[in-house]
Amino acid sequence: MRVSVLGTGTMGAGVAASLLRAGHEVTVWNRSAEKAEPLGERGATVATDAGAAVAEADVVLLTLFDTDAVVDVLESAAGEAPTDAVWVQCSTIGVAGTETVVQLAGKYGITLVEAMMLGTKAPAEQGTLTMLAAGPSDVLDRIDAVLDAIGAKTVRAGEQVGAGTALKLAANAWIASITAATGQSLAVARALGLDPELFLEAIDGSASDSAYAHTKGKAMIDGTFPAQFALDGLRKDIGLITDAARSTGVSTVLLDALGRVYADASASGHGGDDIAAVGTAF
C-alpha cells in the first residue's frame, strides 16, 4: 500500500522503517526535514511539504506530538489527498483534542480512524507495537496490512474514533504509575541501606513482577536514560489523562502526585531523557 507518515520523530521514524521493511510504499514528511532524511536512505520518499506527502496516499498516518501539530498538518494537507484515502490518527492528543480532529475530518470530508501506539522507540522500530484502534470496522479492515506491519497485535476499542484514545490514556496512566513506583521502591531500598537490585530480585517471578519494572529499574540503577519514551512526552500525557479523569468525576489524587514527580525530574534537566529518569525525583 502507499502509506504516508506525517511526523518522523521517535515513534514516526520507527513506524516508517517498519512499513518499509514490510514492503509498503512509504512517503514521509517532518516539519524538521533533517529528521526525515535518513528514511530516504532506507527507501522512503521524502516529501518537502505535508500536502505533497499525501498526494497519492492510500493511508495517511498522523504521528505527531500534540493537538496543535495534528490540527495544523490536517488543515494544510487534507485537500491534497485522494478522496478515498484513510487517515489514521496515531498521536496522543487526549479527549478534547480527538474531538477537535473528528470535527475537522467531518469538515474536510475525510475518512478518519485512530490507531494509538502502545510501546516505545524499540517496538516501533521492530514493528512490535500494540495498536489501539477505533473506527468503523470496515474501514479498519482496509488498513489491517498497515497495522500488522507496525504492531504485534491490534486491539479494537470500538466503532467510534475516541475509544482508542480512551484506552491509550488508561494504558499510559498505568505506565506512568508503574515507572514512578519502581523509582520509589528502588529509592526506599537504597535509603535503608540495601542494594536496590535486591528489590528487583525480590519481585522477580512473583505475582507482583513486571517486565517493565526490570527494564526501567535497571536504567534507574545504572543512571543512564537513553530516550525510548521521553519524560516530557509522558508529562504531556499525564496532563491529558488528568483532564479526562477530572471531566468524568474520577479522582485525580494519584495523577496529581504523578504529575508533580515527573515535573520534578523534568525540572532537574531530564525532560528529554527516558521516563526511567523519573527515579531521580526520589
Side-chain angles (χ1 to χ4, degrees):
M1 299 181 77
R2 294 187 298 272
V3 186
S4 296
V5 180
L6 304 184
T8 57
T10 299
M11 298 299 287
V15 162
S18 291
L19 288 165
L20 286 166
R21 190 170 57 251
H24 293 283
E25 186 178 331
V26 180
T27 299
V28 297
W29 171 84
N30 194 73
R31 186 174 282 107
S32 301
E34 64 274 10
K35 289 187 177 181
E37 288 167 0
L39 290 162
E41 299 171 5
R42 302 178 69 169
T45 299
V46 180
T48 56
D49 61 75
V54 305
E56 298 180 359
D58 298 313
V59 180
V60 180
L61 301 182
L62 297 163
T63 53
L64 301 155
F65 182 71
D66 57 17
T67 302
D68 288 345
V70 174
V71 169
D72 181 57
V73 170
L74 189 59
E75 290 192 317
S76 66
E80 306 300 323
T83 57
D84 60 350
V86 178
W87 292 67
V88 188
Q89 207 300 97
C90 303
S91 318
T92 306
I93 57 175
V95 174
T98 300
E99 290 173 353
T100 296
V101 171
V102 168
Q103 291 171 3
L104 279 176
K107 173 183 175 181
Y108 291 110
I110 67 175
T111 300
L112 179 76
V113 296
E114 62 181 349
M116 300 290 103
M117 301 178 290
L118 188 58
T120 56
K121 179 181 178 181
E125 293 173 343
Q126 297 160 3
T128 57
L129 294 165
T130 295
M131 307 304 295
L132 312 178
S137 295
D138 59 331
V139 180
L140 292 177
D141 289 345
R142 288 167 56 190
I143 64 167
D144 269 343
V146 171
L147 299 183
D148 288 347
I150 60 181
K153 71 174 182 179
T154 297
V155 177
R156 294 197 180 188
E159 290 276 328
Q160 298 295 320
V161 173
T165 286
L167 187 53
K168 177 65 181 292
L169 295 180
N172 273 13
W174 169 248
I175 288 169
S177 299
I178 199 169
T179 305
T182 300
Q184 177 179 257
S185 291
L186 292 172
V188 168
R190 184 183 288 111
L192 294 177
L194 298 176
D195 179 348
E197 289 273 8
L198 287 170
F199 162 67
L200 298 178
E201 183 179 342
I203 65 170
D204 188 32
S206 72
S208 62
D209 199 6
S210 163
Y212 215 73
H214 290 278
T215 299
K216 298 306 179 185
K218 183 179 187 305
M220 292 173 188
I221 291 168
D222 292 345
T224 57
F225 310 111
Q228 293 288 318
F229 183 176
L231 188 142
D232 275 348
L234 185 54
R235 280 187 65 211
K236 180 261 295 182
D237 293 352
I238 292 170
L240 297 173
I241 299 162
T242 304
D243 289 343
R246 186 174 291 120
S247 71
T248 54
V250 174
S251 171
T252 63
V253 171
L254 179 55
L255 289 166
D256 293 338
L258 288 169
R260 289 193 297 273
V261 75
Y262 280 91
D264 287 347
S266 180
S268 297
H270 294 290
D273 290 337
D274 188 74
I275 60 174
V278 71
T280 63
F282 296 100

